[in-house]
Amino acid sequence: MADLKSVPSRSPSIVTRKTGNEYVLVPVTNNIADMNSVYTLNETGAFIWELIDGKKNVGDLIDALITEYNIERETATSDAFSFIDNMSKYLIIR
Amino acid sequence: MRRYNLNIAGYNIGFESTVDGPELVPSERFLRNISGGTECEVLIRIHSGGITLPGGSEKVFDAPYVEEINNIRIKKSDNFWSVFKNQSDLFIRTIFPLSSDNRSGILKFSLKTKEWDLWIEGTGKAADPMEYPLDGLILYYLTVIHGDIMIHASGVNNTGSGYVFCGVSGKGKSTMAKLWDKAGVRIIHDDRLILRNTGNGFNMYNTPVYQNDKPAESPLNRIFIIEHGNKNELNPVRGASAVSMVIANCIQHNWDPEIIAGLLGSVSVMCSKIPVAMLRFRPDESIIDHILENEGGL
């Protein structure tokens, strides 16, 4: 479970393509059974994704969300943890 | 035959039996794709017997043998086909599950060379070098080389306008093709298509799957992601959502980041030029009028 000091990093086994303000993410896989998993990041997800560099911690991501979208800390915290939990579940970030 | 060419989806593929190789006997579904001349973009030499994969070859992709009965996928065996990599050489090792004897094959190829080699073991004196599953695998890697798209989709051409209906098993590809066929519209295929960027647009092509398949192609004007529903409903999809919905229906061997990036690029370009929509449909003829009345607004 991530906390404010956790430092997320992107999985090297993901290929991305930016389309407008969004991203399409496709995992590298070695089995045909897994080959049609594709993920989409909306604009907020794309913003967080671009900040994830293996150096910034979750607290930094929340601060950046507050600055970028002028939202309450509570909302930004919920958005950041929700994103990280979801992406971790699919092994897209770790 | 000792040598012939097939033209499938605009790819000119040459097959040549080596001195010790088998007589080449393409199955009926390929006979209408045999083309004249000796020029080809890839030449596959066919040998009898087997080879041992070079030391250090790494298995990079694996497929079990799955049979589909009434849209239910049943795994029959772990052992079907696999892709191995050894430096820039690739190898596909496969069994031929539809053959009456216990044949197996190894295709040695590369994404950069135009001469490939195929060894078929247990073949006797005659062989079809495009026997299932090699046909789909060879065509798939040709799409990778050319930056094209192989997709689970049916396709129709209605008075010059090409519509593609994408969906994995059970989503209604064949049903949709049957409905258009009943309405007298030209069917390109009901299951699998190759989509190619012509420079001036995109074309769809069929590939020989059934014994009676004839080569067919059409310009591509609309892409629909289909699923069955209680009513007919068409909703445009754009941007990353369109790309991800289309790519989820593509045939893809995602063991190599470069292959994935290539497909992502091709699908992104296509989705920026061809309107994409989600289509829920009732499986009756009303869907045809619904599409024709609404596709202009996509």
Side-chain angles (χ1 to χ4, degrees), chain B residues 1 4-8 24-36 128 130 208-215:
Chain B
M1 273 190 284
Y4 63 96
N5 279 12
L6 292 181
N7 189 308
I8 301 174
L24 303 180
V25 184
S27 71
E28 191 184 335
R29 64 191 164 121
F30 297 110
L31 296 182
R32 296 171 197 88
N33 296 84
I34 291 178
S35 61
D128 176 5
M130 288 283 269
V209 175
Y210 310 119
Q211 301 293 20
N212 59 351
D213 277 336
K214 295 176 188 160

Side-chain angles (χ1 to χ4, degrees), chain B residues 213-258:
Chain B
D213 277 336
K214 295 176 188 160
E217 65 177 277
S218 161
L220 169 57
N221 300 91
R222 300 280 185 270
I223 299 170
F224 300 98
I225 315 294
I226 58 169
E227 60 182 40
H228 292 289
N230 296 325
K231 59 176 185 173
N232 297 325
E233 198 178 348
L234 194 62
N235 292 303
V237 192
R238 304 195 201 290
S241 298
V243 174
S244 63
M245 283 181 181
V246 171
I247 219 165
N249 289 291
C250 289
I251 294 164
Q252 49 197 302
H253 297 180
N254 287 346
W255 55 270
D256 179 33
E258 268 188 49

Side-chain angles (χ1 to χ4, degrees), chain A residues 6-7 9 15-16 19 24 26 39 43 45 48 54 61 64 68-69 71-73 77 82 90 92-93:
Chain A
S6 301
V7 179
S9 61
V15 180
T16 65
T19 302
V24 181
V26 181
Y39 306 95
E43 185 182 338
I48 301 173
L61 304 183
E68 179 70 14
Y69 294 105
I71 53 177
E72 299 290 330
R73 179 164 292 276
T77 302
S82 167
Y90 296 114
I92 293 168
I93 61 172

Side-chain angles (χ1 to χ4, degrees), chain B residues 193-208:
Chain B
L193 295 168
I194 288 178
L195 311 179
R196 305 190 70 179
N197 188 343
T198 62
N200 296 317
F202 280 78
N203 270 8
M204 63 171 117
Y205 301 83
N206 72 344
T207 65

Side-chain angles (χ1 to χ4, degrees), chain A residues 69-89:
Chain A
Y69 294 105
N70 195 21
I71 53 177
E72 299 290 330
R73 179 164 292 276
E74 194 181 342
T75 307
T77 302
S78 166
D79 286 354
F81 278 110
S82 167
F83 178 87
I84 287 162
D85 287 347
N86 272 322
M87 295 293 103
S88 303
K89 194 165 68 187

Side-chain angles (χ1 to χ4, degrees), chain A residues 12 15-19 22-41, chain B residues 60-64 81 239-241 243-244 247-252 254-257 260-261 264-265 268:
Chain A
V15 180
T16 65
R17 179 159 179 118
K18 194 169 187 184
T19 302
E22 302 172 315
Y23 272 94
V24 181
L25 278 56
V26 181
V28 178
T29 175
N30 61 2
N31 192 299
I32 203 163
D34 305 322
M35 73 181 184
N36 292 90
S37 303
V38 185
Y39 306 95
T40 309
L41 300 182
Chain B
V60 291
F61 201 71
D62 212 13
W81 57 263
S241 298
V243 174
S244 63
I247 219 165
N249 289 291
C250 289
I251 294 164
Q252 49 197 302
N254 287 346
W255 55 270
D256 179 33
I260 300 174
L264 264 171
S268 298

